[in-house]
Amino acid sequence: MSPTPEVKDTHTPQRLIRIPWDDWRDFKHAARAAPVPESRAGSLRQLDRSANIRAFVAWFLHRPGAAEPQRPERTDWAAAARADKDKPSDLQRKVRIGNDWLDFEHAAAAVGSNRSTLVQQYIAWVLRRRGSRLPERPPLDAWLGDAPALDDHHDLVHAAAAVGMTPEELQAAFVRWFLRRPAAALPERPTVDDWFAAARGQTTTTSGATT
């Protein structure tokens, strides 16, 4: 089977990260050999390095539908990596990641790390480097409060919708409860997972994948 070329994406912003050349070269071939989630099967773009890292970041951030990373066997990519004649370049690599990059900064800080270090650790784990481990992700509430909200009213629209209400209905229900009106109940609070994706402009498909 001939190697699958990386598919160029000219729309998603480029981010700079520092990755050693050997790991970056080997990761190119490991990403092509990595298992692709069934919901994303058939898309060549899922076989490149940026797509692989985006999937890891989405999982790290607990995005709806994001699957736990999987890695290929070393024998699936080692021969192609040894035959790769690309010349080494500087440590800064360009990776295309959208708005998740901003939240990733806060989530990384919640585990005492930074984005480049976490991506380095993830790549080392994919490549099965000795002593490597899949980075442990923090719970949402450990970092979400530090991430910049679009604004409270914007988020409230989506949080209220998650419990079948409008912001106005939610406010009225709270006031009735606060005033101890007969039979008034404190409105139910949704979990962050119930509204976060919608508030950030993401949609969840019927297969559970986030777009």
Side-chain angles (χ1 to χ4, degrees):
M1 182 177 178
S2 59
T4 303
E6 292 189 319
V7 178
K8 290 187 177 180
D9 176 355
T10 59
H11 303 290
T12 309
Q14 289 186 335
R15 318 292 184 176
L16 295 178
I17 55 176
R18 298 181 68 83
I19 306 293
W21 169 250
D22 287 350
D23 283 356
W24 192 239
R25 177 203 59 209
D26 290 354
F27 185 50
K28 175 174 68 175
H29 301 283
R32 293 172 179 173
V36 178
E38 184 177 347
S39 61
R40 298 177 180 180
S43 172
L44 294 181
R45 188 166 288 171
Q46 301 308 319
L47 301 176
D48 69 18
R49 287 172 285 199
S50 286
N52 193 292
I53 292 172
R54 285 196 299 271
F56 160 68
V57 171
W59 168 81
F60 195 84
L61 298 177
H62 297 265
R63 295 303 195 227
E68 183 172 349
Q70 300 181 54
R71 55 183 178 174
E73 295 295 332
R74 196 174 188 282
T75 52
D76 294 337
W77 57 265
R82 286 195 298 269
D84 194 322
K85 303 302 182 183
D86 283 354
K87 295 181 180 180
S89 59
D90 60 50
L91 288 178
Q92 286 199 325
R93 316 296 173 199
K94 295 178 180 179
V95 176
R96 291 191 179 276
I97 301 180
N99 293 335
D100 280 355
W101 193 241
L102 302 177
D103 286 345
F104 190 36
E105 178 181 11
H106 297 284
V111 293
S113 189
N114 59 66
R115 291 173 291 196
S116 283
T117 297
L118 287 175
V119 173
Q120 288 175 19
Q121 292 172 348
Y122 167 67
I123 290 176
W125 174 81
V126 169
L127 299 177
R128 299 178 182 268
R129 301 302 196 213
R130 182 173 299 177
S132 63
R133 295 186 302 174
L134 179 64
E136 186 174 345
R137 60 181 180 170
L140 270 175
D141 57 9
W143 62 268
L144 190 56
D146 298 323
L150 296 181
D151 63 63
D152 285 347
H153 178 73
H154 173 94
D155 287 352
L156 182 61
V157 169
H158 297 282
V163 292
M165 303 176 76
T166 66
E168 293 74 22
E169 291 169 338
L170 186 65
Q171 181 181 12
F174 173 77
V175 169
R176 288 195 298 272
W177 170 82
F178 190 79
L179 296 175
R180 299 178 182 270
R181 299 303 190 207
L186 183 65
E188 180 184 357
R189 256 196 330 176
T191 66
V192 174
D193 281 346
D194 291 336
W195 60 265
F196 183 83
R200 293 303 181 270
Q202 300 168 327
T203 57
T204 303
T205 66
T206 54
S207 63
T210 302
T211 60

